[in-house]
Amino acid sequence: MAENLDVRSQSISGRKKSVAEEPVTSVLSAGAIPIYSERELTADEECLAALGYKPEFKREFSLWTTFCVSFAVLGLLPSFASTLYYGMGYAGTPGMVWGWLIAMAFIQCVAMSMAELCSSMPTSGGLYYASAVLAPPGWGPLAAWLTGWSNWLGQVTGAPSVDYPLAEMILACASITNPTYIPQNWQVWLLTTLILLIHGCISSMPTKWIANFNSVGSTFNIIALCIVLILIPAATNRQSQGLPRFTPASVVWNDFYDGTDFPKGVSILMTFVAVIWTMSGYDAPFHLSEECANANVAAPRAIVMTSGIGGLFGWFLQLVVAYTVIDIDGALTSPLGQPWVSYLLQVLPQKVALAAASLTIIAAFSMGQGCMVAASRVTFAYARDDCFPCSWWIKRVNKHTQTPVNAVWFNTTLGILMTLLVFGGTLAAGALFSIAAVAAFVAFTIPIFIRVFFVGNRFRAGPWNLGRFSMYIGSAACAFVALMVPILMLPSLTGSDLGPSGMNWTVLVYGGPMTMIIIWWVVSAHKWFKGPKVNIEHQMLGREGNLVEGKEHDSGDSSAGSITKEDRVLDDAKAADLA
């Protein structure tokens, strides 16, 4: 006997909200009403359901712990240590103080524009989801495809690009205490692998444990940064070397170092790579928003807090180093291979320098852990939409920890394989890790660009928004990234002086994979990839606010009208608005 459904209309008062009633910009139509029958949804989960996703994680991240993860990913002290070569080496101390200050003003524009998107679309898919929803009709899948892969390339290289210099720094300190010891590539690789495995284990723990670990790590990061900011000017031995305690301001702000063959203005712009590289972790709250309480307010606040506080403290650190550095050439070309450690040995007694380096090492460990957590959530979100060949396995959530353990170990395995490039030499390894700055900021800007120039009134702002300043701030963010992408790919040398050893391989390392991804889209992916896939059932809102709902009855019942079961279905993200 065939089953029919009896139609009845009911007022939506007191019932589940439609997408139009939530402060979100969704892949679902405004009249869709998400259905989740297992239990009553919280306000956060209702917003997530309106975006098309059922709740899968515990929401145990608060504003503070979300900020802690993103600040750990930012890792000001270890990031500064890793990028000192660029900030100091291209234009000297003026590049450090002026470059950071100017770049941070525009990076804050990018962060605020991203936070506005996060408030409207608080989902782990983050920028990828935003690009899909905001793109003009028919362009959603391609926008999501490019944003997602660019963001993923930046994210998946995050932990190995932190853990590799961390291993180098540990072995460099061992080399200082034992001058006869010279670290070998295989030793660096083994130590990097060990650190990645430890980070994989921690990232596989329950959400609350991860939140607590990152809270401790981020607190240490802040404390270590403050200690180093005080320790260097207080303990510097410049005076015992016949120098004033601090370099005169006229020298710090105006005495350029000729680290490139370009004019001084371009050299200043090239130093921005240090700022962009350091400040590329503030998107982590976006990807953790499905595990964050009060997500559409707390997550965007965490983004802006990370960028703002990180930018301010980062500039203080730049000032301290700029006013105390003795020999820029000596720091950049030291046999230790670590400009930060070489600088510390210039301006501090050896034991104090080792103490500062040790603080940096511990902070770098916390930073690598934060990168692993954030990257695993991005990988899970993309696997949920079947972006990877083995998505069915990657997107599984562990039933015991309720975290994406498979995504964690997928990233960990890739990270270990990536670090094999250390055997190809510094050039090969450095080229791989240079993806982070360009890939991240391209992914950050695609949805912002679409929001500013193509969306119009289709964007529904969340509770955290920029109001009438949204378009101006978004335009400044887009202009900044459009200028910086080609600048970040410039080599420091020109003409006959430019050879393979001095080439900036970012254009190849980032452009190569992205070219293959575009070819994949043209050949195959456009046929099956349709953007974010909703995984929650929903009903449609009928005329005058009435809800069309089915009720089973026998075929002999003469009801006034019927609909089939297929009228109450899982949309499975065919999402006509995207395609």
Side-chain angles (χ1 to χ4, degrees):
M1 180 175 59
E3 292 178 333
N4 294 314
L5 295 175
D6 186 25
V7 179
R8 62 182 171 153
S9 295
Q10 295 178 310
S11 169
I12 64 170
S13 176
R15 299 179 61 85
K16 294 181 175 64
K17 296 178 181 179
S18 69
V19 172
E21 295 174 280
E22 297 286 357
V24 298
T25 305
S26 176
V27 68
L28 298 177
S29 62
I33 298 182
I35 302 169
Y36 189 73
S37 58
E38 294 182 18
R39 56 178 170 81
E40 288 295 318
L41 297 178
T42 65
D44 279 319
E45 292 169 341
E46 284 182 348
C47 281
L48 182 62
L51 294 170
Y53 296 117
K54 61 185 179 182
E56 298 186 80
F57 302 127
K58 290 183 178 179
R59 291 185 179 266
E60 294 179 327
F61 279 98
S62 62
L63 170 60
W64 170 247
T65 53
T66 304
F67 165 75
C68 285
V69 171
S70 59
F71 200 83
V73 173
L74 205 66
L76 275 179
L77 185 57
S79 290
F80 177 84
S82 298
T83 59
L84 183 60
Y85 178 88
Y86 304 106
M88 181 189 290
Y90 284 156
T93 54
M96 298 175 69
V97 293
W98 286 116
W100 188 282
L101 196 61
I102 297 169
M104 269 313 305
F106 289 99
I107 288 174
Q108 193 66 16
C109 291
V110 179
M112 290 191 291
S113 295
M114 181 193 298
E116 186 176 48
L117 296 178
C118 178
S119 183
S120 179
M121 292 165 270
T123 174
S124 293
L127 304 162
Y128 150 85
Y129 184 97
S131 292
V133 174
L134 297 176
W139 292 92
L142 177 58
W145 182 260
L146 295 177
T147 303
W149 279 108
S150 185
N151 190 36
W152 184 78
L153 284 172
Q155 290 284 345
V156 79
T157 58
S161 67
V162 172
D163 292 349
Y164 168 59
L166 168 58
E168 281 192 318
M169 196 175 300
I170 293 172
L171 296 178
C173 288
S175 197
I176 293 172
T177 56
N178 182 13
T180 61
Y181 169 66
I182 300 175
Q184 303 298 314
N185 281 341
W186 65 270
Q187 294 170 328
V188 176
W189 181 79
L190 284 177
L191 183 55
T192 304
T193 299
L194 176 62
I195 297 170
L196 282 167
L197 291 173
I198 294 172
H199 284 160
C201 291
I202 297 172
S203 299
S204 300
M205 294 177 179
T207 300
K208 190 172 183 178
W209 295 12
I210 298 173
N212 290 338
F213 181 89
N214 281 284
S215 179
V216 172
S218 187
T219 301
F220 179 86
N221 228 310
I222 297 171
I223 293 172
L225 177 62
C226 292
I227 290 174
V228 170
L229 284 172
I230 297 170
L231 182 65
I232 292 175
T236 182
N237 59 5
R238 282 172 55 96
Q239 290 175 305
S240 65
Q241 301 179 53
L243 299 170
R245 192 172 191 84
F246 301 110
T247 304
S250 59
V251 175
V252 170
W253 293 82
N254 299 303
D255 190 7
F256 281 82
Y257 173 79
D258 295 325
T260 78
D261 290 345
F262 293 96
K264 293 178 180 178
V266 177
S267 295
I268 287 281
L269 291 176
M270 291 175 70
T271 66
F272 287 10
V273 66
V275 196
I276 292 174
W277 200 318
T278 300
M279 299 300 299
S280 61
Y282 54 78
D283 62 317
F286 210 152
H287 307 301
L288 293 172
S289 56
E290 291 187 30
E291 299 172 75
C292 179
N294 193 25
N296 55 5
V297 174
R301 282 180 179 172
I303 291 172
V304 176
M305 284 173 58
T306 303
S307 179
I309 296 174
L312 185 63
F313 275 87
W315 192 55
F316 291 159
L317 185 57
Q318 296 277 353
L319 289 173
V320 167
V321 174
Y323 273 89
T324 55
V325 65
I326 296 172
D327 180 7
I328 293 178
D329 273 325
L332 298 177
T333 60
S334 168
L336 290 174
Q338 274 283 339
W340 172 246
V341 177
S342 302
Y343 155 76
L344 291 176
L345 289 174
Q346 280 187 13
V347 302
L348 296 171
Q350 180 175 309
K351 290 184 178 180
V352 180
L354 284 172
S358 298
L359 292 174
T360 308
I361 287 170
I362 299 172
F365 183 85
S366 173
M367 177 186 177
Q369 172 58 34
C371 289
M372 183 69 79
V373 173
S376 67
R377 272 47 179 180
V378 174
T379 300
F380 163 79
Y382 297 167
R384 182 169 58 184
D385 293 337
D386 295 328
C387 293
F388 302 104
C390 49
S391 292
W392 62 272
W393 179 80
I394 298 173
K395 66 184 177 184
R396 288 180 182 172
V397 176
N398 186 279
K399 63 181 180 180
H400 301 294
T401 64
Q402 290 190 282
T403 52
V405 173
N406 292 1
V408 170
W409 289 102
F410 176 70
N411 286 355
T412 303
T413 303
L414 288 178
I416 293 172
L417 293 175
M418 288 176 192
T419 56
L420 287 171
L421 286 175
V422 303
F423 295 105
T426 305
L427 184 64
L432 171 66
F433 302 143
S434 65
I435 290 177
V438 175
F441 268 74
V442 168
F444 292 176
T445 311
I446 291 175
I448 297 172
F449 180 82
I450 297 172
R451 156 79 179 97
V452 171
F453 296 103
F454 293 100
V455 171
N457 59 7
R458 288 191 296 115
F459 178 75
R460 299 187 66 232
W464 195 102
N465 62 79
L466 299 172
R468 66 180 183 272
F469 299 105
S470 177
M471 293 300 183
Y472 302 108
I473 294 174
S475 298
C478 294
F480 173 69
V481 176
L483 171 65
M484 289 313 302
V485 167
I487 292 291
L488 293 177
M489 297 184 182
L490 290 177
S492 59
L493 303 175
T494 61
S496 59
D497 294 332
L498 179 59
S501 61
M503 181 62 186
N504 184 340
W505 294 100
T506 305
V507 65
L508 178 63
V509 176
Y510 173 70
M514 288 304 295
T515 299
M516 290 188 288
I517 287 165
I518 293 172
I519 293 172
W520 185 11
W521 170 264
V522 173
V523 173
S524 169
H526 74 278
K527 300 175 183 177
W528 51 265
F529 181 75
K530 302 302 178 184
K533 288 189 173 184
V534 302
N535 63 7
I536 193 167
E537 295 185 49
H538 63 273
Q539 295 169 315
M540 295 305 297
L541 195 63
R543 292 190 183 95
E544 298 178 358
N546 293 324
L547 181 68
V548 178
E549 184 176 73
K551 178 182 178 182
E552 265 186 43
H553 68 87
D554 293 335
S555 58
D557 189 350
S558 56
S559 301
S562 64
I563 58 176
T564 64
K565 283 185 176 180
E566 284 73 19
D567 284 320
R568 183 179 177 270
V569 297
L570 176 66
D571 194 343
D572 197 29
K574 291 184 180 178
D577 289 341
L578 294 182

